[in-house]
Amino acid sequence: MEKTWFLYLTAVSLVQCFLVCLAMNGPNSTTDQSALLAFKSHISLDHPYHRLVNNWSSATSVCDWIGVSCSKRHRRVTALNLPDMGIGGTIPPHIGNLSFLSYFNITNNTFHDHLPSEMARLHRLKFVDFGINNFGGGVPAWFGNLPELQYLHLRNNSFTGLVPASIGNISTLESLDLRYNFMEGRVPEEIGYLPKLKKLFMGFNHFSGSIPTIFNISSLELIDFSSNMLSGILPKDLCIFVPKLKFIYLSWNEIDGQIPLTLGECRELQIISLSLNKFSGFVPKAIGNLTLLQRLYFGGNDFKGMIPYSSLLFSLVRI
Ligand SMILES: *[C@@H]1O[C@H](CO)[C@@H](O)[C@H](O)[C@H]1NC(C)=O
Ligand SMILES: *[C@@H]1O[C@H](CO)[C@@H](O)[C@H](O)[C@H]1NC(C)=O
Ligand SMILES: *[C@@H]1O[C@H](CO)[C@@H](O)[C@H](O)[C@H]1NC(C)=O
Ligand SMILES: *[C@@H]1O[C@H](CO)[C@@H](O)[C@H](O)[C@H]1NC(C)=O
Ligand SMILES: *[C@@H]1O[C@H](CO)[C@@H](O)[C@H](O)[C@H]1NC(C)=O
Ligand SMILES: *[C@@H]1O[C@H](CO)[C@@H](O)[C@H](O)[C@H]1NC(C)=O
Ligand SMILES: *[C@@H]1O[C@H](CO)[C@@H](O)[C@H](O)[C@H]1NC(C)=O
Ligand SMILES: *[C@@H]1O[C@H](CO)[C@@H](O)[C@H](O)[C@H]1NC(C)=O
Ligand SMILES: *[C@@H]1O[C@H](CO)[C@@H](O)[C@H](O)[C@H]1NC(C)=O
């Protein structure tokens, strides 16, 4: 009996030591402070009296700094929320030490250069919003290793190259926004593996080839491939597996063939934008059954006949 107790206590203290020792040797709130001070030293401010200058001071806890949030228990940095701040510069590798970071929003600033690969260590990241900056280079493949990522917003930057196929591995991803960059090539079929994807914004790039197989992602609500160089046809079963689709933006591409008859199955459609493509044939009558439609853009194609009559629709069509 005593021996059992002894073994039990030894085991407990070993586990405790393991946890404490891990906490002592691994990253802690001091690590977070040095990571953020390194970040600050790489930040350029739009004016010398910017409010970050005195606020981000090592005399106070990082948890009291503007735009920084911490976990209650361990006082580790969980969120960096610095949109519209008039700040720029580069992201230093030290950011990769913020091991509890789950929310990172620096949208609408002037950060530039590439994203450091050390960010691949931020395994708790759920929300990344780096939109409206000057980041460049390729969209890093390591995003595919972030197991909890839900929002990846990189719009209005200068990213080039291909969409990494590894993005298809982010099974938690709900919203991907790559609009207004200089990306090119085929959009990888792996995008179609994302089981929770709701919003896919790929507009205003130089993507070519056909639309990847995405019309079987049942969570999809919005598809935007506006203003690219996509060709090929729309799948015949377009609307069979995407019952929640509300917005489809495909204007300004080179897509041909007919509009699939299944369009009427997307009962929640509000906006259909197909203008400036090479569509032909008749517009399916089933469009008249889409009671939530607000806008239709069909102009600049080669359609025959008339838009199926419906007094509601008649007032909505924008050619
Ligand atoms: C954080 O870790 C460093 C070593 O990595 C250690 O010197 C420091 O005391 C730790 N700080 C806290 C607050 O635990
Ligand atoms: C920094 O700003 C926050 C939020 O405005 C404020 O609560 C905090 O006291 C400021 N810290 C310093 C050192 O100015
Ligand atoms: C971007 O931030 C600036 C302030 O730095 C603000 O004036 C502007 O309205 C913001 N733009 C957007 C699109 O939010
Ligand atoms: C944090 O990251 C930098 C760069 O990746 C590294 O040099 C440094 O040793 C890391 N650790 C701590 C505790 O700051
Ligand atoms: C980032 O901040 C901007 C401005 O407050 C906001 O509009 C946007 O939704 C935020 N992004 C995320 C992913 O929360
Ligand atoms: C995004 O980029 C496009 C094209 O450069 C531009 O028209 C648009 O105003 C930009 N949006 C923002 C919010 O900066
Ligand atoms: C996706 O994840 C699987 C399993 O971890 C891995 O074998 C594969 O190489 C990854 N794909 C890409 C394109 O990174
Ligand atoms: C959609 O279909 C493709 C090709 O058949 C498949 O690889 C993918 O896993 C499917 N996606 C979903 C979310 O079911
Ligand atoms: C419109 O919906 C009705 C009722 O669900 C159905 O009977 C009809 O076939 C549909 N019309 C078209 C053209 O799909």
Side-chain angles (χ1 to χ4, degrees):
M1 187 66 189
E2 262 172 38
K3 200 174 169 194
T4 325
W5 259 113
F6 174 75
L7 284 176
Y8 174 73
L9 288 175
T10 314
V12 167
S13 43
L14 274 177
V15 167
Q16 272 173 350
C17 170
F18 180 71
L19 291 175
V20 171
C21 299
L22 204 68
M24 280 176 72
N25 295 324
N28 58 29
S29 54
T30 313
T31 327
D32 286 357
Q33 189 193 43
S34 37
L36 287 183
L37 285 173
F39 183 40
K40 184 186 177 189
S41 73
H42 283 76
I43 287 179
S44 51
L45 307 164
D46 63 359
H47 59 88
Y49 308 110
H50 195 283
R51 59 201 169 112
L52 277 196
V53 177
N54 293 321
N55 191 276
W56 279 34
S57 144
S58 43
T60 58
S61 158
V62 292
C63 304
D64 296 329
W65 292 3
I66 290 173
V68 180
S69 308
C70 294
S71 58
K72 283 214 175 73
R73 247 177 90 209
H74 301 293
R75 309 294 286 162
R76 297 295 309 276
V77 172
T78 54
L80 282 180
N81 189 19
L82 300 163
D84 317 316
M85 291 285 281
I87 55 179
T90 58
I91 309 271
H94 307 74
I95 278 291
N97 291 343
L98 296 174
S99 45
F100 276 67
L101 195 66
S102 80
Y103 184 93
F104 196 175
N105 191 343
I106 48 170
T107 192
N108 187 27
N109 287 293
T110 55
F111 287 97
H112 65 276
D113 213 344
H114 67 284
L115 304 175
S117 58
E118 286 77 4
M119 279 185 65
R121 286 157 43 197
L122 301 176
H123 276 226
R124 290 183 168 86
L125 272 180
K126 289 190 172 71
F127 300 88
V128 171
D129 195 341
F130 289 180
I132 322 181
N133 278 285
N134 300 323
F135 288 113
V139 168
W142 49 253
F143 275 119
N145 299 335
L146 300 178
E148 300 183 13
L149 199 58
Q150 292 174 20
Y151 288 79
L152 180 55
H153 287 199
L154 303 176
R155 76 183 168 118
N156 283 61
N157 277 285
S158 300
F159 288 107
T160 55
L162 306 173
V163 175
S166 61
I167 297 269
N169 267 352
I170 316 174
S171 57
T172 47
L173 199 63
E174 293 180 16
S175 182
L176 176 63
D177 190 348
L178 301 176
R179 275 176 297 175
Y180 296 107
N181 279 289
F182 302 96
M183 302 188 66
E184 59 184 15
R186 292 182 72 93
V187 177
E189 286 294 322
E190 282 82 354
I191 293 286
Y193 300 171
L194 296 168
K196 295 192 171 162
L197 194 65
K198 290 183 182 158
K199 295 179 182 174
L200 179 62
F201 301 95
M202 307 293 269
F204 301 90
N205 279 285
H206 305 304
F207 294 124
S208 55
S210 49
I211 301 177
T213 312
I214 50 172
F215 295 100
N216 57 344
I217 306 177
S218 59
S219 48
L220 264 185
E221 295 173 6
L222 183 151
I223 297 170
D224 174 13
F225 280 103
S226 307
S227 193
N228 279 288
M229 298 181 292
L230 296 183
S231 54
I233 59 169
L234 294 176
K236 284 206 159 48
D237 57 359
L238 180 75
C239 275
I240 304 295
F241 306 110
V242 284
K244 296 178 183 157
L245 195 64
K246 294 178 176 65
F247 307 96
I248 181 162
Y249 301 97
L250 299 173
S251 287
W252 223 334
N253 280 286
E254 289 159 30
I255 307 168
D256 58 24
Q258 305 203 7
I259 299 186
L261 295 173
T262 56
L263 193 68
E265 302 297 322
C266 287
R267 290 300 169 99
E268 299 192 12
L269 270 174
Q270 294 174 22
I271 298 181
I272 305 175
S273 181
L274 303 177
S275 49
L276 299 165
N277 276 289
K278 295 178 175 168
F279 288 110
S280 57
F282 293 95
V283 174
K285 285 201 179 67
I287 267 193
N289 268 359
L290 298 173
T291 51
L292 300 177
L293 260 192
Q294 294 168 9
R295 297 218 179 118
L296 274 174
Y297 299 91
F298 277 5
N301 284 293
D302 207 3
F303 289 120
K304 279 200 278 266
M306 292 178 66
I307 305 280
Y309 178 75
S310 141
S311 55
L312 170 75
L313 271 179
F314 193 70
S315 62
L316 296 174
V317 177
R318 310 275 197 287
I319 299 296

